Amino acid sequence: MIFLQLLISGILIGGVYALISLGLTLIFGVMRIVNFVHGDMLMVAMYFSYWFYTLYSVDNYIGLFLVVPALGLLGALMYRFVIRHAIRRSHEASILVTIGLSIVIQNAALLLWSADYRSIHNEWATRSLQWGDLRISSPLLIAFIVALVVTGILFAFLHRTYLGKAIRAASMDRFAAVLMGVHPQRIFTLSFAIGIALVGVAGALLSSVFAVHPTLGTQFLLVSFVVVVLGGLGSLRGAILGGLLIGVVETTSAYFIGSSMKQLVYLLLFIVILIVKPAGLFGKRIPEVNQ
Amino acid sequence: MLSIEKGYGRYGELTVLHDIHLSVSRGSIVSVVGTNGAGKSSLMKFLMGVEIETEGRIWLEGEEISRWPTHQRVAAGMVMVPEGRRLFPEMSVRENLEMGSYTPRARKRRKQGFDFVYSLLPKLKEREKQPAGSLSGGEQQMVALGRALIAQPQVLLLDEPFLGLAPIMVRQVTRFLQELREQGLTILMVEQNATFSLRCSDWGYVLVSGRIVSDGQGKDLLHSRDLRKVYLGV
C-alpha cells in the first residue's frame, strides 16, 4: 500500500517537474543554450502568484491566467534584451550570462521581498482526498491535471500549427528551417517565451504547495536538469517521462531515507545516467549549431 | 531574372568569393561547376544571405535584394535545396513538405502546391507518413525537391543535387529538372559533377578558388579546354 501511495504522490509531483523541464528542454532544443534562469523564473512566478493572492485575494488557480502571460512576456523581453546578445557569441557567454541573470534575479527578489518563506493558505492548500488508505493532496492533484492539459496543448501547438512546426524544425536543423523562410529570431523569442510561460504555469500551481523564497529556484533548476538529462537533452517526450520518474524516485527516497537526503539519491542517479547513457533515454547526439 | 554584380563573400577575415558576375535568365537551367572548395556552397549562401558576409549586388526580377534578410528572399521566391538535402529527419514526409509551404505566399496556395508536387512525385504521397530520416538517399532528394517546389519558387537554387545519388537516380533527377524548366521554372545549381550538370544546362560557369574563370553554353563548356584544365590540370 505504501508503495502505491508513494507511486501516486511521486507521479503527481513528477507531472509538475515534467512541466518545468519541458520549458528547459524546449529552450535547449531550439537555441542550444542551458537556461540557468529557469528555476528563478519559477520563483518569480510563485511570488507573482503569492502577491496576487495576498494583495488582491486572487486565488492562485485564477491567478494562473495572469501569471502565465506575465511570465511569457518576461521571457520574451529577457530573450530580446539579454539572451539574444549572449548566444551570438559563444556557449560560454550564454552560460555566464544566464548564471549572472540568475544571481541578479535572486538578489532582486531578496531586496524586494526579503528572505522570508511565504505561502498561500487557501482552502485547497491543506485539503486531501481520502480513498481507502490512500491520501492524495488536492493541490498536487490539481497541479498534475493542469500540467497534463497544458502539456497536451503544447504538443498540439507544436504538431498542428505552422509556428509550432517551425519550432520543431528549427530544433532539428536551424539552417534548413531558415531556408524555408523561418525567421530565426522570431522563433527563438517565441520558444523562450513559451519555455518561461510553462514555468509560469508550474509556479502558479506550486504556490499553494510550497512556500516561496528567493533561492527556491536553485533546487528546482537542479531537479529539472536531472530530468532533462535523464530524458535526453532537447527531447520533449524524454522530459515528461524523466519528470515522472524523478518525481517517484524523489518521493520514495524521501520516505525511506529522509527528505534531507532525497537530493542525494537523484543526484547519484544523475551521475549514473551520465556514465551509462550520456545521451539520456530519448536523446540523440545533438550536433553543434552555429549562430 | 537573377543576377549578381561584383559579388564578394567573406567568412570573417577570409574572402571566399571574388568579384562574382553571374546572370540567370528566366526559364533556363544554369550550372556553376567547380572542384571541392571552389566556393560553390558559399555562392549559394551568398545568394540566400545566410551564414556569410556579403558585398555587391543581387538582383531578383529587377529588384535589388542584396540587403534583404533570408526569410524575405524565400518569400520573394528564391528557394534553395541545400547540400545533403537537410530534411527534418524526425518529421514525416508530409510535415517536411508543409515546412516548404511556410511563407505566406506558399501557404495561400498550399493545396495546389501539394497537388502539384504529388502529381510530379507520386512516390512522396505513398511515403507521406514516414519519417523523412528513414528514406533512401534518392527518395530524400525527392522530398527535398518537393519541399522546395511547394514554396512556390521563382528561382530554384540547388546545392550539389547529384551528390551521392546512384546513376539511375541521377538520370531521374536530370529529367525531373528539365521537366520543371519546361513548366517555366528557373534553376541555378552548383555541382561538382560537371558532366551531369552541364549536360542538362543552358549555360554554365566555371568557378575556381572563388572566381568565375569561364562561362559558356552548357555542352560547349563541357568540352572546353578551361574545364579540362580545372578538373584534370592539363
Side-chain angles (χ1 to χ4, degrees), chain A residues 30 47 58-59 109 118 122 174 193 219 222 239 278 285:
Chain A
V30 176
Y47 269 113
V58 180
D59 188 275
R118 296 171 193 266
N122 68 0
R174 187 187 304 166
Q219 80 194 62
L222 207 57
R285 294 190 68 92

Side-chain angles (χ1 to χ4, degrees), chain A residues 100-180:
Chain A
L101 211 55
S102 160
I103 295 171
V104 169
I105 293 172
Q106 283 184 16
N107 284 284
L110 188 63
L111 199 68
L112 286 170
W113 303 314
S114 83
D116 294 346
Y117 278 55
R118 296 171 193 266
S119 52
I120 289 176
H121 294 288
N122 68 0
E123 53 170 323
W124 294 98
T126 50
R127 227 186 254 178
S128 64
L129 302 173
Q130 188 109 20
W131 192 45
D133 286 342
L134 287 178
R135 287 170 67 93
I136 296 169
S137 130
S138 303
L140 269 185
L141 183 64
I142 298 172
F144 181 78
I145 293 168
V146 175
L148 213 62
V149 171
V150 169
T151 305
I153 295 171
L154 176 71
F155 271 71
F157 169 72
L158 290 175
H159 286 266
R160 299 272 161 83
T161 66
Y162 265 106
L163 269 179
K165 281 175 193 172
I167 288 178
R168 283 166 58 221
S171 70
M172 285 177 222
D173 190 330
R174 187 187 304 166
F175 177 66
V178 169
L179 292 182
M180 299 298 107

Side-chain angles (χ1 to χ4, degrees), chain B residues 1-208:
Chain B
M1 176 85 201
L2 174 69
S3 61
I4 304 177
E5 232 180 80
K6 243 177 156 350
Y8 287 83
R10 293 191 183 88
Y11 300 113
E13 301 280 286
L14 184 72
T15 304
V16 290
L17 295 171
H18 304 267
D19 197 21
I20 302 287
H21 290 261
L22 180 151
S23 76
V24 182
S25 53
R26 179 187 295 279
S28 64
I29 299 183
V30 173
S31 287
V32 177
V33 298
T35 55
N36 243 337
K40 299 190 299 298
S41 287
S42 300
L43 181 63
M44 292 277 107
K45 289 175 180 169
F46 176 92
L47 283 165
M48 295 307 297
V50 63
E51 291 184 355
I52 190 169
E53 296 156 54
T54 67
E55 209 178 284
R57 292 181 164 188
I58 306 170
W59 301 84
L60 178 68
E61 295 205 273
E63 260 192 290
E64 201 199 324
I65 60 165
S66 329
R67 300 266 157 261
W68 289 12
T70 308
H71 62 98
Q72 206 177 338
R73 299 184 195 196
V74 179
M78 202 155 75
V79 182
M80 170 178 160
V81 179
E83 183 182 349
R85 352 282 184 226
R86 304 291 286 261
L87 299 179
F88 305 112
E90 289 149 55
M91 284 184 165
S92 66
V93 168
R94 181 164 183 102
E95 282 185 307
N96 267 278
L97 296 176
E98 278 169 358
M99 279 312 294
S101 65
Y102 189 79
T103 63
R105 195 164 59 99
R107 228 179 275 194
K108 250 179 258 154
R109 302 184 37 117
R110 176 180 145 136
K111 186 157 184 323
Q112 293 97 306
F114 267 96
D115 289 345
F116 174 65
V117 167
Y118 281 158
S119 70
L120 284 174
L121 303 162
K123 248 220 161 115
L124 297 191
K125 173 104 184 143
E126 290 166 32
R127 308 263 159 160
E128 210 177 48
K129 296 214 169 69
Q130 279 187 32
S134 72
L135 304 182
S136 71
E139 288 169 332
Q140 289 198 12
Q141 184 62 284
M142 291 303 172
V143 179
L145 282 167
R147 187 176 66 173
L149 291 174
I150 274 186
Q152 310 282 335
Q154 306 284 323
V155 186
L156 192 59
L157 305 180
L158 307 172
D159 193 349
E160 305 262 11
F162 300 122
L163 189 74
L165 294 187
I168 184 161
M169 282 307 298
V170 169
R171 252 173 313 213
Q172 266 187 42
V173 171
T174 306
R175 220 174 301 137
F176 185 67
L177 295 180
Q178 281 166 333
E179 246 173 73
L180 291 175
R181 173 182 49 187
E182 271 152 41
Q183 304 209 13
L185 192 64
T186 310
I187 299 171
L188 171 64
M189 69 173 115
V190 296
E191 178 55 61
Q192 179 157 351
N193 192 318
T195 317
F196 292 156
S197 56
L198 288 177
R199 236 188 239 152
C200 67
S201 296
D202 302 296
W203 199 260
Y205 292 88
V206 182
L207 191 67
V208 179

Side-chain angles (χ1 to χ4, degrees), chain A residues 235-249:
Chain A
S235 163
L236 296 174
R237 248 172 278 170
I240 295 172
L241 202 75
L244 297 177
L245 206 65
I246 292 298
V248 173
V249 167

